[in-house]
Amino acid sequence: MTHVEDELTSQPECWARAASQAAHHAKVLPAPGERVAIVGCGTSYFMARAAAALREGAGQGETDAFAASEFPHGRRYDRVVALTRSGTTTEILDLLGRLEGATRTTAITADPDTPVRTAAGELAVLDFADERSVVQTRFATTALTLLRAHLGLHPDAAVADARTALTEPLPEGLVECGQFTFLGRGWTVGLADEAGLKMREAALAWAEAYPAMEYRHGPISVSTRGTATWMLGDAPDGLAEQVRHTGALWIAGRLDPLAELVRVQRLAVAVAASRGLDPDSPRHLTRSVILAP
């Protein structure tokens, strides 16, 4: 079993633990009414987008999400939350350094014994969700689970759905597809982007992601026999039928959207295996991007 496989199968337990700790971390997480920005890099950026959409949609306050390198320093926020598994990513540390003394900052991290310990004003540590792998799985989803639970939006079914996602066979013919498109709506647009990233990182697969209603505005033109379109969350009316008419394989999101992402993680590992690739050694990638001064 690869590190990626071992770590992604532990997600139900990690989610349950994170949800149980939400009250403990409440003082360092955004309070209702605060104007908040959530930042990250790579996978953490996509989780930031999902969390921001959930928080603003819940009426908790204006919430933006940015790649750390694209943070708009001309805006004012009550708090900036940084998602960083390693606590060593250059763009995150640079941003936290620039915000020091001007904006309240919180880092959600797996490793507090890294530079983020002094760079961020406050920490929420999820060390039980740390990973050996380059390709992120459980830390990202556990961090999002913590934020969902903090917002009161973590459903009881999510953990059970994650277990289902780990045990049910993948749809027949899916691994053999040559192109994958992931769709989302609202907070699941970020999950769709993360699903596409997992396929590219672990399996070197042709993978795209879009807001579901945007799919008809051009991207559906690539759909044909041998491609797959996967919906994370509820699909717009008529879209499933339209995709099937192209000859593509339609995958409906039946589970909690975060559990659907677990199914995609399994798919990425399966496609990697079918292509003779090692998902623990993704091409051109390192566990953390640390840039020289």
Side-chain angles (χ1 to χ4, degrees):
M1 182 176 289
T2 65
H3 295 318
V4 174
E5 289 175 283
D6 180 55
E7 289 158 1
L8 74 84
T9 58
S10 68
Q11 287 173 109
E13 292 72 27
C14 288
W15 296 3
R17 188 167 176 180
S20 72
Q21 292 183 3
H24 170 74
H25 292 298
K27 289 184 179 180
V28 303
L29 296 177
E34 286 185 336
R35 189 166 190 246
V36 173
I38 309 177
V39 300
C41 299
T43 288
S44 292
Y45 167 51
F46 296 141
M47 296 299 104
R49 287 174 53 193
L54 279 170
R55 184 174 185 270
E56 187 155 324
Q60 292 280 309
E62 291 184 6
T63 314
D64 296 320
F66 302 102
S69 59
E70 299 299 319
F71 184 81
H73 288 277
R75 297 188 187 182
R76 292 291 173 262
Y77 292 97
D78 299 312
R79 184 192 302 267
V80 172
V81 177
L83 306 183
T84 172
R85 174 179 65 172
S86 69
T88 60
T89 303
T90 297
E91 296 101 303
I92 291 288
L93 297 177
D94 286 351
L95 174 59
L96 292 173
R98 289 190 63 177
L99 295 174
E100 185 177 5
T103 304
R104 192 174 183 182
T105 58
T106 296
I108 301 176
T109 187
D111 188 354
D113 297 320
T114 59
V116 77
R117 181 172 196 161
T118 54
E122 297 169 299
L123 293 180
V125 178
L126 303 175
D127 51 0
F128 57 88
D130 202 359
E131 299 165 328
R132 295 179 64 183
S133 60
V134 173
V135 176
Q136 279 201 58
T137 56
R138 72 182 180 193
F139 174 75
T141 60
T142 300
L144 183 55
T145 296
L146 174 68
L147 292 169
R148 287 180 85 185
H150 175 65
L151 294 169
L153 298 175
H154 172 68
D156 293 337
V159 172
D161 280 359
R163 293 194 174 101
T164 299
L166 290 169
T167 56
E168 282 191 349
L170 292 170
E172 186 176 352
L174 185 58
V175 171
E176 292 73 31
C177 287
Q179 188 271 343
F180 304 87
T181 300
F182 300 96
L183 306 177
R185 302 180 81 180
W187 72 282
T188 71
V189 173
L191 300 188
D193 279 323
E194 169 59 9
L197 180 62
K198 286 287 91 64
M199 296 299 297
R200 292 188 291 273
E201 288 179 327
L204 303 182
W206 175 14
E208 302 177 346
Y210 303 97
M213 292 297 288
E214 286 295 304
Y215 190 53
R216 297 182 178 99
H217 293 270
I220 196 172
S221 63
V222 303
S223 295
T224 187
R225 190 174 302 277
T227 67
T229 301
W230 192 321
M231 183 72 214
L232 283 79
D234 296 330
D237 291 343
L239 184 57
E241 292 77 9
Q242 192 170 358
V243 169
R244 291 190 184 105
H245 287 160
T246 70
L249 179 64
W250 170 261
I251 308 296
R254 300 177 293 98
L255 304 174
D256 179 86
L258 202 54
E260 285 292 321
L261 182 59
V262 175
R263 294 178 73 202
V264 177
Q265 293 168 351
R266 288 183 57 214
L267 172 64
V269 171
V271 173
S274 74
R275 299 181 178 184
L277 301 172
D278 179 3
D280 281 343
S281 300
R283 191 169 65 183
H284 309 315
L285 299 179
T286 57
R287 188 174 181 275
S288 174
V289 176
I290 302 173
L291 304 177

